[in-house]
Amino acid sequence: MARINDNFLKLKAGYLFPEIGRRVGAFTQANPDKAASLIKCGIGDVTEALPEAVREAMHKAVDELGNRDTFRGYGPEQGYDFLREAIADNCYVNLNISADDIFISDGSKCDSGNILDIFGQDNKIAITDPVYPVYVDTNVMIGNTGDADENGRYEGLVYLPCTAENNFVPAIPDEKVDIIYLCYPNNPSGASATREQLAAWVNYAKANDAIILYDAAYEAFIQDPDVPRSIYEIEGAHDCALEFRSFSKNGGFTGVRCGYITIPDSVTGASASGERISIKQLWSRRTSTKFNGASYPVQRGAEAIFSEAGKKQVAELVAHYMGNAKLLREACSEIGLNVFGGENAPYVWVACPEGLTSWDMFDKMLEEANVVITPGSGFGAAGEGYFRISAFNSRENVIEVCTRLKNHL
Ligand SMILES: *Cc1c(COP(=O)(O)O)cnc(C)c1O
């Protein structure tokens, strides 16, 4: 008898996006005339074309592979030096991070799930609420939780509520936890964390011998020069934090696939016997065993993001999406809604009008404005009463969404 991993049975059946799909399907079936004008601002996927510098570099890399003299087979599992060095030189200027601390992957979703391989079973794990669902579900799968309650909260996890009162950056818990997931700029709330807020978390982690898993997937969208772009801008973070980054959102790599984890030498965890073990060495060992590296053309494409032309093209993409975010913020404010996020992140997080739940608002927007948004409650119990509008769209669609918001709400 082949036994399955019973932890999978604890998972709530991927409720959010299937339920959005079901409601949109029902609406278009009942209103076929409106199907064509429906605008989707739901899923966090980029919409604009891959930068030219990236495409050129990828074409060139494919041609290299097509010539026996320049052909490459397996590359280094941890990533090619050309990309690791480009990242260290461009993303971590004066932050004491070397190319060797950077591990290239096929994206942050995989990294943030896979990292659990190297941690033990008895850790107390803290996640924010609302949250990127990957952190929760990967902990469920690996057996770090009990069952979910009626609010979808799993037994054994420590939930850190993020609300308007704390500017969507959680308060330091009064209990001791071992692993903390933080994501800033945040998906879904669009909030960013200040230096002081991150310093408080780093101090907590150091005092409690905890590790912070810091997801900086939206770093490129930060506009405010005072907002930290990396956790390593905070003193002490080199001893207690891993940073996850991705080319998905800045470089439009959601379909190309490339990301990385940064792990300084000084981050350690304890073995059963209390010995201190380097997290970087464990991750390197895990990578060599379970991964054969990201694709060569993709790593060349990622490297091109740091070229002169690549930087300019990425800056244009970011400016496009952040211009969308500004318009969406303004339109929501104008109709009297309470708006958060969208200033250092491509997500606008909006409080529902008095008396409407997140799903009420979803239905109202779908039926009256023919716009698909994401209900905040889908990201966690504390997201109830909010909805997320993604700025990943064409300018034309965003302008139309703003007009419809003003006309219908
Ligand atoms: C989009 C996103 C990522 C990036 O995921 P990839 O697998 O690299 O595409 C990581 N974290 C969050 C919170 C995201 O929204």
Side-chain angles (χ1 to χ4, degrees):
M1 182 173 63
R3 279 286 310 276
I4 56 117
N5 177 349
D6 282 284
N7 295 313
F8 278 62
L9 306 180
K10 298 175 194 162
L11 291 167
K12 308 273 274 181
Y15 171 72
L16 177 60
F17 290 105
E19 179 61 15
I20 291 176
R22 196 190 65 72
R23 293 190 191 210
V24 171
F27 175 78
T28 50
Q29 201 143 37
N31 305 276
D33 53 314
K34 290 186 178 150
S37 64
L38 206 63
I39 300 179
K40 295 189 176 165
C41 300
I43 296 178
D45 194 358
V46 296
T47 55
E48 304 309 294
L50 201 60
E52 190 186 348
V54 171
R55 282 180 281 130
E56 277 174 8
M58 289 177 74
H59 280 299
K60 186 163 164 274
V62 170
D63 288 340
E64 276 178 52
L65 298 183
N67 180 336
R68 199 173 186 289
D69 295 333
T70 51
F71 172 78
R72 299 184 189 224
Y74 290 123
E77 291 98 347
Q78 288 78 6
Y80 280 103
D81 284 341
F82 62 76
L83 181 55
R84 301 173 88 188
E85 279 160 15
I87 293 167
D89 291 348
N90 287 281
C91 301
Y92 293 115
V93 181
N94 296 329
L95 292 183
N96 195 23
I97 294 292
S98 65
D100 178 66
D101 300 334
I102 293 161
F103 297 80
I104 310 298
S105 72
D106 57 351
S108 270
K109 188 190 210 179
C110 319
D111 284 341
S112 56
N114 290 337
I115 197 73
L116 292 176
D117 267 10
I118 63 166
F119 290 109
Q121 295 289 305
D122 308 320
N123 290 307
K124 197 141 202 78
I125 292 162
I127 57 144
T128 61
D129 177 10
V131 73
Y132 180 54
V134 176
Y135 313 148
V136 177
D137 286 2
T138 53
N139 273 289
V140 175
M141 288 174 177
I142 209 161
N144 286 344
T145 75
D147 288 318
D149 66 15
E150 66 279 8
N151 293 319
R153 287 187 157 182
Y154 289 92
E155 185 201 336
L157 291 180
V158 175
Y159 287 87
L160 308 168
C162 295
T163 61
E165 287 69 46
N166 59 23
N167 292 315
F168 304 95
V169 179
I172 303 294
D174 37 28
E175 63 190 300
K176 191 171 152 39
V177 303
D178 305 299
I179 294 175
I180 304 133
Y181 289 83
L182 293 177
C183 171
Y184 289 99
N186 188 261
N187 176 14
S189 73
S192 53
T194 65
R195 205 166 293 281
E196 293 69 31
Q197 287 165 326
L198 291 181
W201 275 104
V202 167
N203 291 339
Y204 170 87
K206 290 199 63 161
N208 290 279
D209 199 4
I211 289 180
I212 296 173
L213 303 180
Y214 192 73
D215 185 340
Y218 295 96
E219 161 277 329
F221 296 88
I222 294 173
Q223 309 291 306
D224 180 344
D226 292 333
V227 170
R229 292 174 170 267
S230 166
I231 191 76
Y232 303 116
E233 291 179 37
I234 310 301
E235 199 185 324
H238 293 71
D239 298 328
C240 64
L242 276 52
E243 184 161 279
F244 297 74
R245 287 201 189 188
S246 167
F247 297 103
S248 281
K249 310 295 161 48
N250 61 339
F253 268 47
T254 52
V256 175
R257 313 301 309 141
C258 196
Y260 54 97
I261 312 187
T262 306
I263 315 180
D265 287 314
S266 39
V267 187
T268 62
S271 72
S273 63
E275 195 187 345
R276 302 306 299 197
I277 307 289
S278 153
I279 295 295
K280 177 173 163 180
Q281 271 166 30
L282 291 182
W283 183 248
S284 188
R285 186 70 179 79
R286 189 263 174 213
T287 301
S288 302
T289 300
K290 292 201 183 182
F291 192 50
N292 258 332
S295 137
Y296 174 67
V298 164
Q299 291 191 64
R300 282 295 187 198
E303 180 193 26
I305 282 182
F306 301 110
S307 67
E308 226 33 66
K311 282 181 190 165
K312 186 167 165 280
Q313 291 158 17
V314 166
E316 283 162 8
L317 281 175
V318 168
H320 166 78
Y321 293 128
M322 292 311 290
N324 287 349
K326 182 166 186 286
L327 293 174
L328 290 165
R329 272 186 63 89
E330 286 167 359
C332 291
S333 292
E334 228 172 278
I335 58 173
L337 297 175
N338 215 348
V339 185
F340 306 92
E343 290 178 314
N344 295 296
Y347 299 115
V348 179
W349 186 246
V350 191
C352 301
E354 192 74 32
L356 294 188
T357 67
S358 295
W359 280 110
D360 291 341
M361 193 61 189
F362 175 88
D363 290 335
K364 188 175 164 68
M365 291 279 282
L366 179 62
E367 284 155 23
E368 295 173 22
N370 307 149
V371 171
V372 181
I373 47 95
T374 317
S377 56
F379 298 102
E384 180 55 271
Y386 293 93
F387 64 97
R388 187 190 77 174
I389 312 184
S390 165
F392 291 125
N393 222 320
S394 66
R395 182 57 52 86
E396 189 189 357
N397 274 350
V398 166
I399 290 171
E400 175 63 20
V401 167
C402 292
T403 305
R404 292 191 197 172
L405 281 168
K406 290 177 207 166
N407 291 344
H408 296 278
L409 288 161

